[in-house]
């Protein structure tokens, strides 16, 4: 690999805390290895800031291998940056040009208030899960044998695809309405596709949608931006499936 | 030695757990809401424990430093989870899983615990399927299995390369349900910074709200630590950036013994280090070794030319390649266990044959060209083409590889910008899992009464080396099926205790400790960043307490780390305030504990004058460079007691391992 | 769930948008077929066909129900749509400093609310121009035809030769398909005589006061005037060119609205299936192009043929 370094300009959102106003600040960073990930570039910038005795930039991150869903960042006008099917931690600096100006902003949504700099509060997602994103089974391990109910491979695969959602919030960030439909529908779909989840499917979808609405997310207008920006390529089919499930439940639930 | 009572129940190994469970004390449902339990960490062990205890009716408070319990690093496990279901009818059984785990751990694990793990392994799969975990299935609708980690049976359940994610989301759904029901109170973005002991028992924690910086006192009748491993002591590892030892270490400082800290698993197939700003290492699934051949150039000048960019690996002739695993281990070849494969790679790179073009030179090739040829030919023949051209073979072979490993190849290309279909992958071992941890008895209780430790955080069931697909199994077994029984037994004595006050002097003292530490860092007018010190610590650890260790290096490491520690406290600069989100402060508090742990790891490695599993002492190898165990003198768990800031004062206690049901033998993979 | 979830939940609102949208799509087809008569038939035949069609649309009971459904759909679609748009705006109180939505979504999908608002303005003016006159103020005249003939009004008492005068007979088109003579006018003297009393559209016998027939209004002429023709003695709209241009522009807006809206309605109702998604997309996009185009051609041709 042709490893080289580039110099970049950064425009980064700085905000002291949830109550302060915040603004875009400009930084210059030299000698960034093109093999670095985007977050390693930010590490490098923070190291530079610390050495200048300035306050480093707060951003969320953890696993740095694209699975925990902790990293966020709206980079150059797109959730998780210009590359497809990756999280910010999997985005590499070789995607940027020498001398380029890169805009870095937090997820923007009423339901995701900024905590500090680039860190936002995504606990709304947790509350949606708590409203119904589960199968009500106790944890005794004595339910029934795992192979007692055969599940067709096609359905199982679809459930798995929906279940690969990492809950990062890129769907909300990139939706012009800040809608959480892709996230919620992924969980609803996963459980609706499996016989274990079908038992309480109606109540689940009603409760999860209700919570979603209460959290202040926008409504889905089917622009499809969410699925394009989703690092795990969750399909719009899931939203349609949730629409079906909800319709069924709305009509039939007592 | 008498202090370490492992509380292994009497009776035949296959009956121990059942009989023991039948005689444990219970807490009646009406008493459970009066009892508080703290669970720290929400990975597989923590989430499953919190969900189970919450469901039973206890008042559970769960803590995680991430923004959601769903993000714990269990989520990153790729391969699978073992369970002795024998669905594939290939002769698997509880005993075989038990046996394989003990042998894989190089005969340094506790028999009774491992057998219990094997016993409950089947329930884990039942439980997860009932929760809606979408495991891989066959066309007939039944669960699929694969073989993993060199075992002879297919007992690994999986969900593509994201098994850990699916299992964690299953446990997360269970804990979410309990949070929704009000049985579990969740504290996201909270970090435990001390354990509080009242009258010798664990009665609470001090936690920092990472958003507001507030120092909070939380009391409980029992504290369960499920805080993962300490691989980040090496700075670079496959762990998440936030993974840390602090919770476990604070418990250690309060009296919990820390066992076998030197047992570290180095995973052979990771993407090599690319530069000084690298923050973490990425694992490439072990399954790649089923199809790839590992080699380095035979001639040093070829390796030098490759590093200088003058030669490409594809230009090295077949006879000039050294397939060193096939050469050294003809029977197992590229499929030797993790520790063996890792050491062999290190041996070649140390000898100057490494191919990575950076200052470490650490890297070897994982080459798929032979597999592409072989599978291409097979596919052509299978489709009736008995005279395929070279291009046809390569095309078909690549297609086969893509079907099997497409997502991994894509991931590799995203990271390295190299196409592994055309040029061999570069890989190198990286720190992956830590078998050591807080010492616990059969009840998973540490030497502090009321402080339980589960998952990777305890010294666990994996001995000196963990088999693939066993960590997920242990985490869920502990949380779902062990702790609910043993914690209840402990709490049966607490039904009259009443709420634990947080106003006691013990809480006061612990809180003040934490506050002092924080203000010490924030007012330390140093000049270097926390990462600067963490990287230097990692450097010492990797070079001297890494894959190959010797007495001299370990002795040096102990004093080097001591010096680094001193410099750290003097020179570290932590910007920002205490009362805000301050990632630098969080890192400083963690690195402080890593420094002490690093020293203890070196001391543990130094006292263990043998080689076993993940612990390789260069002085103890046979003529062919294989590990040489000393079962006579080191057949014990080394559990360390904290004796103050000077780690050299820490005292070693031994729990001798008695093998009643498995005959100890040398591992041989030739 | 509360019972009112049918109206309050975000998903239910989407169902209403989809259902009303799909209904309006079918309405467009009917409307277009009617409009096409403006250019497919000419002369009195065309005028009569169009006006009779207009009458039918206004009086058939089933059509009436559909009409009310249409009004309801337009209102509901607009109100819910605007409500959603406001809510969606609120869901992101602070915008991105730098955003590149073009990389992940089509412009049509992002501007549905604006497109819809323009369409609403169009519908309002459209209805003011035609529907309002026809249905509410009822200022649209009846469909008359005039016929001037030499009519024998008597005999010359001296010669016995027939006396003829040029008489213009005005007949109104009636709902039963006949023409009923309603007035006669002496061309030379200018004297005229009503043969039938006309009250609104009612044609009433002078003598018996009986309701003889129902007249049909002449919407055709209103349309023709609007788009630049001077017909039936009515002057041409002096702003006809502007009217044509605005109409065509509105149809472009409709095109974009349908381009996204057609498929989107199916998705909102959960009708997404790998097997049929291609078909839905194709039909939707074909519809989005063909229907507005056909609508737009009509005023253009009328204007050019004036």
């Amino acid at each position: 690999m042709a490893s080289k370094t580039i110099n970049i300009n950064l425009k980064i959102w700085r905000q002291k805390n949830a109550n302060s106003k915040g603004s875009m600040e400009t930084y210059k960073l030299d000698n960034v290895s093109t093999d670095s990930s985007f977050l390693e570039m930010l590490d490098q910038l923070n190291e530079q800031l610390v050495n200048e005795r300035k306050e480093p930039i707060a951003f969320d991150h953890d696993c740095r291998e694209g699975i925990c869903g902790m990293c966020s960042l709206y980079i150059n006008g797109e959730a998780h940056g210009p590359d497809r099917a990756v999280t910010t931690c999997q985005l590499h600096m070789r995607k940027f040009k020498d001398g380029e100006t890169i805009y870095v902003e937090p997820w923007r949504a009423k339901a995701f208030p900024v905590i500090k700099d680039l860190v936002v509060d995504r606990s709304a997602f947790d509350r949606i899960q708590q409203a119904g994103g589960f199968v009500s089974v106790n944890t005794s391990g004595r339910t029934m044998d795992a192979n007692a109910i055969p599940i067709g491979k096609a359905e199982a695969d679809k459930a798995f695809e929906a279940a690969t959602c990492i809950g990062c919030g890129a769907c909300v960030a990139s939706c012009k309405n800040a809608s959480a439909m892709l996230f919620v529908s992924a969980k609803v779909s996963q459980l609706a596709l499996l016989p274990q989840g079908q038992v309480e499917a109606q109540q689940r979808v009603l409760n999860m949608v209700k919570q979603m609405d209460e959290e202040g997310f926008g409504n889905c207008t089917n622009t499809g931006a969410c699925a394009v920006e989703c690092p795990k390529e969750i399909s719009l089919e899931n939203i349609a499936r949730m629409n079906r499930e909800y319709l069924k439940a709305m009509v039939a639930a007592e | 030695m008498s202090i370490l009572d492992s509380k292994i129940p009497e009776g035949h190994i296959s009956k121990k757990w059942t009989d023991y469970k039948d005689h444990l004390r219970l807490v009646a449902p009406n008493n459970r809401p009066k009892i508080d339990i703290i669970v720290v960490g929400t990975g597989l062990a923590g989430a499953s424990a919190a969900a189970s205890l919450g469901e039973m009716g206890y008042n559970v408070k769960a803590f995680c430093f991430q923004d959601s319990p769903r993000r714990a690093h269990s989520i990153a496990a790729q391969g699978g989870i073992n369970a002795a279901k024998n669905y594939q009818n290939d002769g698997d059984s509880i005993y075989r899983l038990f046996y394989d785990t003990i042998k894989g751990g190089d005969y340094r694990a506790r028999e009774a615990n491992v057998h219990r793990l094997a016993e409950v392994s089947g329930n884990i799969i039942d439980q997860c399927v009932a929760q809606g975990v979408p495991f891989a299935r066959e066309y007939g609708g039944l669960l699929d299995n694969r073989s993993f980690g060199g075992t002879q049976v297919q007992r690994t359940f999986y969900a593509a390369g994201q098994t850990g994610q699916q299992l964690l989301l299953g446990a997360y759904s269970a804990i979410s349900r309990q949070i929704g029901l009000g049985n579990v109170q969740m504290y996201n973005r909270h970090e435990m910074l001390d354990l509080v002991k009242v009258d010798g028992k664990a009665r609470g924690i001090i936690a920092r709200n990472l958003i507001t910086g507030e120092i909070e006192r939380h009391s409980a009748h029992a504290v369960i630590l499920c805080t993962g491993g300490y691989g980040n002591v090496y700075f670079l590892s496959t762990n998440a950036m936030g993974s840390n030892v602090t919770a476990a270490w604070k418990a250690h400082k309060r009296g919990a013994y820390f066992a076998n800290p030197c047992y570290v698993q180095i995973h052979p197939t990771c993407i090599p280090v690319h530069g000084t700003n690298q923050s973490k290492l990425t694992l490439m699934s072990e399954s790649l070794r089923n199809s790839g051949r590992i080699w380095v150039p035979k001639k040093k000048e070829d390796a030098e030319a490759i590093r200088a960019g003058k030669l490409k690996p594809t230009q090295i002739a077949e006879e000039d390649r050294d397939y060193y695993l096939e050469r050294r281990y003809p029977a197992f070849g590229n499929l030797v266990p993790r520790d063996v494969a890792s050491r062999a790679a290190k041996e070649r790179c140390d000898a100057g044959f490494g191919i990575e073009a950076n200052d470490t030179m650490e890297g070897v090739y994982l080459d798929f060209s032979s597999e592409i040829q072989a599978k291409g030919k097979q596919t052509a023949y299978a489709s009736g083409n008995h005279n395929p051209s070279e291009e046809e073979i390569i095309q078909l072979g690549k297609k086969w590889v893509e079907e099997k490993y497409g997502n991994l190849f894509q991931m590799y290309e995203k990271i390295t910008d190299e196409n592994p279909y055309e040029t061999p992958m570069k890989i190198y071992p990286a720190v992956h899992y830590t078998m050591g941890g807080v010492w616990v008895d059969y009840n998973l209780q540490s030497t502090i009464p009321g402080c339980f430790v589960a998952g990777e955080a305890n010294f666990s069931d994996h001995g000196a080396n963990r088999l693939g697909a066993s960590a997920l199994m242990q985490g869920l077994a502990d949380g779902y099926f062990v702790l609910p029984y043993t914690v209840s037994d402990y709490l049966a004595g607490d039904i009259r205790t009443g709420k634990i006050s947080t106003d006691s002097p013990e809480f006061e003292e612990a809180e003040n400790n934490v506050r002092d530490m924080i203000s010490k860092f924030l007012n330390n007018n140093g000049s270097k960043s926390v990462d600067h010190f963490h990287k230097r610590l990692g450097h010492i650890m990797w070079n001297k307490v890494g894959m190959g260790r010797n007495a001299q290096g370990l002795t040096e490491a102990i004093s080097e780390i001591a010096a680094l520690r001193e410099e750290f406290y003097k020179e570290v600069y932590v910007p920002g305030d205490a009362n805000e989100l301050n990632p630098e402060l969080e890192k400083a508090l963690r690195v402080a504990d890593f420094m002490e742990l690093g020293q203890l790891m070196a001391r543990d490695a130094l006292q263990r004058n043998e080689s076993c599993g993940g612990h390789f002492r260069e002085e103890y190898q046979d003529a062919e460079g294989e590990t040489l165990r000393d079962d006579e003198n080191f057949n014990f768990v080394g559990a360390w007691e904290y004796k103050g800031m000077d780690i050299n004062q820490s005292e070693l206690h031994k729990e001798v391992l008695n093998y009643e049901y498995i005959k100890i033998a040398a591992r041989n993979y030739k | 769930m509360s019972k009112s979830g049918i109206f309050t939940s975000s998903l239910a609102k989407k169902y209403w948008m989809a259902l009303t949208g799909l209904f309006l799509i079918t309405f467009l087809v009917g409307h277009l077929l009617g409009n096409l008569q403006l250019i497919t038939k000419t002369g009195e035949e065309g005028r009569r066909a169009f006006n009779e069609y207009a009458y039918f649309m206004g009086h058939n009971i089933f059509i009436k129900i559909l009409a009310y459904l249409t009004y309801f759909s337009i209102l509901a679609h607009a109100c819910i749509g605007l409500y959603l748009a406001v809510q969606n705006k609120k869901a992101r109180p602070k915008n991105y400093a730098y955003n590149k939505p073009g990389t992940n979504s089509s412009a049509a999908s992002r501007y549905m609310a604006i497109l819809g608002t323009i369409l609403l303005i169009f519908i309002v003016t459209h209805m003011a121009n035609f529907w309002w006159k026809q249905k509410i103020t009822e200022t649209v005249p009846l469909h008359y035809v005039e016929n001037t003939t030499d009519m024998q009004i008597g005999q010359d008492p001296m010669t016995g030769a027939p006396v003829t005068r040029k008489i213009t007979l005005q007949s109104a088109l009636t709902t039963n398909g006949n023409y009923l003579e309603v007035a006669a006018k002496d061309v030379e003297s200018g004297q005229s005589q009503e043969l039938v009393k006309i009250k609104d559209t009612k044609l009433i016998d002078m003598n018996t006061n009986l309701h003889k027939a129902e007249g049909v209004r002449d919407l055709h002429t209103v349309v023709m005037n609007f788009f630049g023709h001077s017909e039936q003695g009515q002057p041409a709209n002096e702003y006809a060119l502007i009217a044509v241009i605005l109409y065509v522009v509105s149809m472009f807006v409709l095109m974009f609205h349908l381009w996204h809206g057609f498929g989107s309605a199916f998705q909102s109702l959960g009708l997404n299936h790998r097997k049929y998604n291609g078909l839905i997309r194709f039909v939707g996009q074909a519809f989005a192009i063909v229907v507005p185009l056909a609508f737009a051609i009509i005023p253009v041709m009328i204007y050019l043929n004036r």
Side-chain angles (χ1 to χ4, degrees), chain C residues 229-248:
Chain C
H229 286 240
S230 55
E231 266 184 22
Q232 310 302 325
Q234 303 292 328
N237 173 10
E238 51 182 316
Y239 303 112
L241 182 61
I242 295 171
V244 171
I245 291 171
L246 287 179
Y247 191 96
V248 171

Side-chain angles (χ1 to χ4, degrees), chain B residues 539-555:
Chain B
H539 200 69
I540 299 171
M541 293 300 293
W542 181 243
N543 289 325
K544 295 183 172 166
V545 200
M547 265 188 288
R549 302 151 176 189
N550 57 54
Q552 193 202 336
L554 291 167
T555 315

Side-chain angles (χ1 to χ4, degrees), chain B residues 230 233-234 249 252 257-265 433-438 459 541 545 549 596-605 607-608 615 637-640 652:
Chain B
Y230 49 84
V233 67
Y234 291 87
W249 197 255
H252 174 55
Y257 293 1
F258 207 96
N260 299 336
C262 77
Y263 290 161
V264 175
Q265 180 166 79
Y433 186 90
T434 51
M435 281 74 68
V438 178
F459 86 106
M541 293 300 293
V545 200
R549 302 151 176 189
E596 296 181 16
L597 167 76
Q599 268 183 298
L600 189 68
M601 286 168 73
R603 276 203 69 199
D604 189 45
Q607 67 83 16
R608 193 164 280 279
H615 168 66
V637 174
W640 295 87
L652 179 68

Side-chain angles (χ1 to χ4, degrees), chain B residues 54-100:
Chain B
E55 185 183 275
M56 290 167 83
Y58 293 110
N59 236 339
V60 177
K61 288 177 169 188
F63 294 79
C64 72
F65 69 79
Q66 297 93 341
D67 75 333
S68 162
R70 66 179 292 153
R71 311 214 192 275
H73 200 54
S74 303
I75 205 155
Q78 298 175 357
I81 177 165
N82 288 332
K85 280 281 199 186
N86 195 26
Y87 281 158
Q88 305 304 327
N89 195 27
D90 50 8
D92 196 14
S93 66
I94 289 171
Y95 181 82
R96 279 190 198 275
L97 176 54
F98 161 61
Y99 176 82
D100 285 349

Side-chain angles (χ1 to χ4, degrees), chain B residues 97 134 278 286 425 642:
Chain B
L97 176 54
Q278 185 150 0
E286 193 168 11
M425 279 186 185
Y642 189 79

